[in-house]
Amino acid sequence: RSSDLKHPAPKAKMVHWTAEEKAAIHSVWKQVDVEKDGQETLSRVLITYPWTQRYFSSFGDLSNAAAICNNPKVKAHGKKVLAALGGAAQHLDNIKSTLAHLSELHADTLHVDPENFKLLGQCLVIVLARKLGAAFTPEVHGAWEKFVAVSCAALSKHYN
């Protein structure tokens, strides 16, 4: 439509983080063990959503839950994933730039379906909730859901 040409799409808005959300994200992040929690998060993705295994064909045996959970390449990549999210957690006001290189890599080189970022984020929230128990209050949970959503959007940015 010609009216679409007259009105360009609005620019993406900056994410506003409340002091409470920032505190919740930083407080939880201090308790994250990138190696252990990264392995558990990625293992959960590969077990719960087995079609995601196609992106990890070089990882060797992913034939069952035990093989996945004990796979050193899953452990190493889970650590790498959480380290990247840790960088985003430390730069809440600049997540898009912090994750830009990973967005480009996953879009252009690895050709990962960006929906998988959401699956990983969901599994991370589950890992954190299980780990923290009652300390993972609804407020903390909400802050982490927002963080995951913003991180997923940043990782998906290069696909657009």
Side-chain angles (χ1 to χ4, degrees):
R1 296 181 333 197
S2 63
S3 62
D4 291 340
L5 298 175
K6 295 177 187 174
H7 303 290
K11 291 187 178 185
K13 296 179 182 178
M14 286 282 293
V15 174
H16 173 72
W17 298 98
T18 66
E20 293 80 11
E21 289 169 333
K22 286 181 177 185
I25 292 165
H26 292 144
S27 172
V28 169
W29 188 257
K30 289 177 187 173
Q31 299 175 64
V32 169
D33 177 333
V34 293
E35 190 168 310
K36 183 174 183 267
D37 298 336
Q39 179 180 15
E40 182 178 348
T41 299
L42 186 56
S43 292
R44 284 177 179 268
V45 171
L46 297 170
I47 293 164
T48 307
Y49 309 104
W51 59 88
T52 61
Q53 294 176 19
R54 70 176 175 243
Y55 299 109
F56 302 97
S57 59
S58 67
F59 279 29
D61 186 10
L62 301 175
S63 62
N64 58 57
I68 291 167
C69 292
N70 294 308
N71 186 307
K73 291 184 178 181
V74 171
K75 181 178 185 178
H77 192 67
K79 179 180 179 180
K80 184 186 279 189
V81 168
L82 283 201
L85 286 174
Q90 298 308 311
H91 298 97
L92 290 173
D93 293 324
N94 204 9
I95 290 177
K96 192 186 308 179
S97 294
T98 302
L99 297 176
H101 68 288
L102 290 175
S103 177
E104 186 174 341
L105 173 68
H106 284 80
D108 294 343
T109 304
L110 302 174
H111 308 291
V112 173
D113 181 341
E115 285 299 309
N116 292 316
F117 303 139
K118 294 176 185 176
L119 301 178
L120 187 124
Q122 291 169 357
C123 289
L124 175 59
V125 169
I126 290 167
V127 168
L128 295 174
R130 187 192 61 72
K131 178 177 185 162
L132 300 174
F136 202 70
T137 65
E139 294 78 16
V140 171
H141 185 178
W144 271 87
E145 288 288 349
K146 182 176 176 179
F147 172 69
V148 164
V150 171
S151 296
C152 288
L155 287 166
S156 300
K157 183 71 177 150
H158 201 73
Y159 289 81
N160 299 330

